[in-house]
Amino acid sequence: MRNNKAQIKMMETISVLIVFIIIIVFMMIFYINISSSSNNVAKEDETNQKAVELAQKVSFLPEFQCSSKNIVIDNCFDIFKLDSFIYYVNYDSNGQISQNTTYYDMFEYGRVVIGQIYPSTNQTWEIYDNKPPYKRYDEKTSFIPIALYEPNKKETYFGLLNVTIYR
Amino acid sequence: MIKEIKNNNELKIKHSYSYSIFSFSRKIKSQAEIMGIAIVMVLIMIGIVFVIKFVVLPEKTNTKKAYDQTQLSANFLSTSLKTTTECNGFTMTDLIQDCAANYGKGSYRYRCPDGRDSCSFLNDTMELLLNASLNKMPNVKYDLYICYWDQYNQECGTEEGDIIGEFKKGSCLSGRIEYESQQYPIKTDVGTRVVQMYIC
């Protein structure tokens, strides 16, 4: 009888320990999940910041900016300048297709594409694309609304600046 | 007689042994109970800390996020307002001016080639621009109003004709959500109208 009682007590102690261990394991899983998700958030924030930086650099490049009587218009890209830029980065002085690496130091690994949204056309300008040499990388794309100015017709179109960051 | 004394002694020993076992187990039991209560208290405290951190305390203001949102809304508004539309080459600002001046009168100055008046063309085009830009961004919510601005209450007027355009994706104004706001005033024949955007 006393033996049985001791066994029951032991069973009780063991079951309490098991429950306690289960609770601790759950808490550890919860903590690991939270810390890993906060790490991911920090990583995503950093990528977002890079995307915003790249978008800012592109927006303020005199190569694309609209201007009127030497006054720069904010957040506006000149369509003629974009066309000329595309030609400049994709062809050499002899008119042969070539890859211009002038902007690699400034933009690093990323892709910048401008698309016209309204009036709707399929017109896009890929002004930069430099993928990293390694095989596995993350990419994060940000969209920024921009104005596209057509100097010939003196019209402004609605466009999107798509900035992709490779990491 | 001897047997009786022996039995009595045995009984005494048995009694004292069982008493000491009883008091010992009671001590251990009470200690274990205190330990249990302590563990439960610790668990409850941890739970309360998590609840306070994730539910009660508002999310920290992320300066970068706020900057991104301000930039996004400012860019959207400045770009969309100067966009040349397919309605006889009027800009969105022109359409807002005509719509505000003639809202509800039915006599619009601007008629588009497809027969729509400035108000419906303005609303359809704005919807189109939003669908092609902000509506494609999963983490962005906004409230956009084109309206007469009530300076006293710092919100759009509530009378008929005060709001000439209203666009929403989710809502930033309901609940405890932190948002950024951007306002563009436009001069019209019937006073100033604003394009007000709340983004979150």
Side-chain angles (χ1 to χ4, degrees):
Chain A
M1 184 68 186
R2 241 168 94 178
N3 233 356
N4 274 354
K5 223 175 177 180
Q7 277 177 347
I8 288 167
K9 282 268 172 202
M10 265 185 56
M11 280 294 286
E12 256 180 39
T13 314
I14 288 166
S15 55
V16 165
L17 268 173
I18 287 170
V19 169
F20 188 66
I21 286 166
I22 287 171
I23 288 170
I24 289 205
V25 167
F26 269 116
M27 279 171 66
M28 277 176 73
I29 290 169
F30 186 63
Y31 176 75
I32 288 166
N33 272 346
I34 288 213
S35 62
S36 71
S37 76
S38 65
N39 276 347
N40 286 342
V41 167
K43 208 174 160 189
E44 207 182 305
D45 274 356
E46 204 183 313
T47 317
N48 275 336
Q49 196 173 338
K50 280 266 174 195
V52 172
E53 269 174 35
L54 182 52
Q56 290 289 323
K57 280 180 192 169
V58 174
S59 300
F60 289 101
L61 271 183
E63 283 90 324
F64 314 121
Q65 275 182 330
C66 310
S67 60
S68 170
K69 291 173 187 160
N70 248 348
I71 298 166
V72 172
I73 302 164
D74 269 351
N75 191 32
C76 177
F77 288 67
D78 189 317
I79 289 178
F80 284 6
K81 287 185 183 177
L82 282 173
D83 288 336
S84 305
F85 183 83
I86 297 293
Y87 188 83
Y88 168 71
V89 290
N90 290 316
Y91 297 93
D92 62 15
S93 52
N94 301 320
Q96 303 291 316
I97 294 173
S98 74
Q99 203 173 18
N100 193 319
T101 55
T102 313
Y103 294 91
Y104 278 23
D105 289 340
M106 190 188 280
F107 296 154
E108 297 169 7
Y109 297 126
R111 183 167 185 254
V112 181
V113 180
I114 290 173
Q116 185 179 318
I117 301 296
Y118 181 87
S120 79
T121 57
N122 291 325
Q123 177 78 62
T124 55
W125 294 267
E126 187 184 85
I127 55 178
Y128 182 77
D129 190 15
N130 183 21
K131 287 192 173 69
Y134 35 90
K135 277 186 177 175
R136 288 184 59 172
Y137 52 82
D138 291 333
E139 53 180 87
K140 169 85 189 165
T141 305
S142 296
F143 304 95
I144 295 154
I146 51 158
L148 294 166
Y149 183 64
E150 218 282 45
N152 221 4
K153 295 179 187 166
K154 292 190 173 22
E155 288 184 345
T156 307
Y157 307 139
F158 186 88
L160 271 189
L161 173 67
N162 299 351
V163 176
T164 306
I165 287 290
Y166 303 120
R167 286 179 74 86
Chain B
M1 182 69 178
I2 294 167
K3 219 177 186 180
E4 221 170 80
I5 290 167
K6 228 180 185 177
N7 273 347
N8 253 348
N9 278 347
E10 264 176 23
L11 246 167
K12 264 183 191 170
I13 289 165
K14 224 177 189 177
H15 181 71
S16 70
Y17 176 78
S18 71
Y19 178 77
S20 69
I21 285 278
F22 178 67
S23 71
F24 180 70
S25 76
R26 233 170 97 181
K27 231 179 191 174
I28 284 189
K29 219 175 176 183
S30 61
Q31 277 177 349
E33 264 174 29
I34 285 169
M35 273 295 288
I37 289 168
I39 288 166
V40 168
M41 286 300 285
V42 168
L43 290 177
I44 288 171
M45 294 280 275
I46 290 169
I48 288 171
V49 167
F50 274 103
V51 167
I52 288 172
K53 190 168 189 293
F54 294 107
V55 181
V56 180
L57 287 181
E59 209 178 304
K60 268 186 201 168
T61 313
N62 186 337
T63 317
K64 197 182 69 57
K65 194 181 170 191
Y67 174 77
D68 287 355
Q69 287 176 345
T70 311
Q71 193 74 6
L72 190 63
S73 55
N75 278 13
F76 178 81
L77 291 184
S78 70
T79 305
S80 60
L81 292 180
K82 61 186 172 198
T83 298
T84 311
T85 65
E86 287 162 322
C87 177
N88 297 325
F90 295 125
T91 62
M92 291 289 272
T93 308
D94 294 333
L95 294 177
I96 290 173
Q97 285 168 335
D98 187 54
C99 177
N102 302 297
Y103 191 84
K105 293 179 194 165
S107 56
Y108 295 95
R109 208 153 21 114
Y110 300 160
R111 279 272 168 203
C112 304
D114 60 4
R116 277 182 286 174
D117 59 58
S118 53
C119 282
S120 54
F121 199 90
L122 165 73
N123 280 295
D124 293 347
T125 310
M126 190 59 94
E127 192 77 61
L128 205 144
L129 297 182
L130 286 165
N131 282 338
S133 54
L134 300 190
N135 290 359
K136 278 188 178 170
M137 302 175 193
N139 300 328
V140 173
K141 289 181 197 167
Y142 63 83
D143 292 84
L144 173 63
Y145 299 97
I146 304 167
C147 62
Y148 160 75
W149 190 249
D150 183 347
Q151 290 288 350
Y152 183 73
N153 292 318
Q154 285 296 301
E155 59 181 21
C156 284
T158 47
E159 283 176 33
E160 209 192 321
D162 280 352
I163 297 176
I164 56 175
E166 188 177 351
F167 311 89
K168 283 180 184 200
K169 183 187 162 202
S171 184
C172 298
L173 300 176
S174 57
R176 310 183 308 115
I177 306 165
E178 278 189 27
Y179 59 79
E180 299 297 319
S181 68
Q182 200 70 230
Q183 193 179 68
Y184 273 72
I186 294 169
K187 207 177 160 199
T188 73
D189 290 347
V190 286
T192 306
R193 293 290 180 270
V194 300
V195 183
Q196 174 77 31
M197 180 173 240
Y198 303 95
I199 195 161
C200 57

